[in-house]
Amino acid sequence: MSNERAPVRRPVTETKPHAVLVMGPGVREQVFGAAALERLDELATVHDEVLHELTGPAADRALAGAEVLVTGWSCPAIGADLLERAPRLRLIAHAAGTVKTFLDPEVLRRGVRVTSAADANAVPVAEFTFAAIVFGAKRVFSLAHRYRTEGTKRDFSGMPWLGTHRITVGLVGLSRIGRRVADLLRLLEAEVLVYDPYADPAEAAALGVAMVDLDTLVRRSHVVSLHAPDTPETRRMLDRRRLALMMDGAVLVNTARGALVDHDALLAELTRGRIDAILDVSDPEPLPPGHPLFGLPNVLLTPHLAGAQGNELARLAECALDEVARYRAGRPLRHEVTADELDRMA
């Protein structure tokens, strides 16, 4: 969802802003294709080297004239002290999701505008989640294992329930991803329950979801899908007691953060075969080789791939460059991050 705010206070001139790419080794090549780099050259005067670190004379020279930083994965820490070395800095356009991992909120309070491509990254995560819900409800992984090991075709014996039509799906977190998943679930005519203490009730009503407490959500949902950030309040929110509340045959989908779940308690439930799980994240991550979760037929483990991968990465570059274009034209930014939002980011 767009988040338009006041126009950027920048005179509209023909002068290009000076931009510096700041990201980990290989990230520019991974995220920015030839067309994206050409567009960036049209929008800004781009420093000829990507900064992987923000220390040393070379970084000082690049930062001295920088008006825009285009950042990406593995971006080094950016704190208020950097503003002394980059006195002209006005915009940080992040070509990835969360900025919490590298950005000191003081930078925002000092007046630097910050944008994130989290909305663009939410698209593939929501698609992955929807696919996981469908496959989980159809018992794809358990039945594929049974077919492979026993040779039985369409043997549904022992399944407490099967299918997607009008199931109840519980979304823990009405984040940008949660909202997209809720919209996709209309295709299943699903009842959607949401637990999110920060959610706007009007927005929830517009999406057609029902706000409930977390215990009610886990007890009533055929599928529980996690979309909350990792904070002290959310850590282990699905503990032993709440996992025990899940109905027999329920499916847990986690594309958010492994720390949201007590993995010892989850392993116990999964080993009993009482519930199923599709886990794109874990705690710890990655799991050590030979971990018991790898051998369970009712569990699918994927290596944190729900977010943008391959050709999906182009969306991240496009989002960041769109914001640079808006900044240069003095137009409102669409994906600006505030200090309050930064606190709630995953």
Side-chain angles (χ1 to χ4, degrees), residues 73-326:
W73 289 319
S74 301
C75 177
I78 295 178
D81 58 313
L82 180 133
L83 302 184
E84 303 300 322
R85 299 157 61 210
R88 298 181 59 195
L89 183 62
R90 298 294 179 269
L91 175 70
I92 299 173
H94 191 50
T98 183
V99 299
K100 190 172 186 177
T101 54
F102 69 89
L103 186 71
D104 185 336
E106 184 63 23
V107 174
L108 292 167
R109 288 190 280 269
R110 296 280 188 92
V112 176
R113 313 294 288 270
V114 177
T115 70
S116 163
D119 277 350
N121 194 51
V123 175
V125 180
E127 293 170 345
F128 183 99
T129 301
F130 181 71
I133 291 169
V134 171
F135 272 43
K138 295 281 281 189
R139 309 292 173 181
V140 167
F141 310 108
S142 296
L143 291 172
H145 175 79
R146 185 179 294 182
Y147 188 26
R148 182 174 62 253
T149 57
E150 302 175 14
T152 52
K153 181 180 179 181
R154 298 181 66 180
D155 176 8
F156 306 140
S157 59
M159 298 294 167
W161 57 273
L162 176 72
T164 62
H165 185 51
R166 294 182 178 173
I167 59 173
T168 299
V169 179
L171 304 179
V172 180
L174 198 61
S175 61
R176 53 177 55 86
I177 297 168
R179 293 192 296 267
R180 287 182 178 275
V181 173
D183 191 54
L184 289 170
L185 288 170
R186 298 176 196 269
L187 297 172
L188 307 182
E189 299 182 50
E191 177 187 20
V192 180
L193 308 179
V194 170
Y195 168 73
D196 188 333
Y198 299 103
D200 180 351
E203 184 176 23
L207 283 168
V209 304
M211 302 297 297
V212 297
D213 63 80
L214 185 54
D215 284 2
T216 298
L217 183 146
V218 296
R219 185 172 58 248
R220 288 182 50 194
S221 298
H222 294 90
V223 180
V224 175
S225 186
L226 303 183
H227 304 286
D230 177 10
T231 67
E233 293 74 27
T234 63
R235 212 154 289 160
R236 310 291 189 273
M237 64 193 312
L238 286 196
D239 55 11
R240 190 174 301 277
R241 182 185 69 81
R242 287 199 172 111
L243 289 168
L245 290 176
M246 294 176 69
M247 68 173 68
D248 289 350
V251 180
L252 175 65
V253 177
N254 191 1
T255 58
R257 291 292 184 268
L260 302 180
V261 184
D262 179 339
H263 272 56
D264 290 337
L266 176 62
L267 177 61
E269 294 285 2
L270 293 169
T271 301
R272 289 171 54 200
R274 199 181 69 78
I275 64 175
D276 297 350
I278 299 171
L279 308 174
D280 191 49
V281 291
S282 61
D283 186 23
E285 186 174 316
L287 290 174
H291 191 281
L293 284 174
F294 285 116
L296 295 177
N298 55 331
V299 179
L300 176 70
L301 292 168
T302 53
H304 205 149
L305 54 79
Q309 310 292 336
N311 58 26
E312 297 162 344
L313 296 173
R315 286 195 187 100
L316 308 184
E318 290 167 5
C319 182
L321 295 182
D322 285 348
E323 295 293 70
V324 174
R326 284 171 170 268

Side-chain angles (χ1 to χ4, degrees), residues 1-5 119 333-338 341:
M1 186 179 71
S2 296
N3 191 14
E4 298 211 6
R5 296 188 175 87
D119 277 350
L333 303 175
R334 295 190 63 197
H335 304 287
E336 188 169 0
V337 178
T338 67
E341 289 167 339

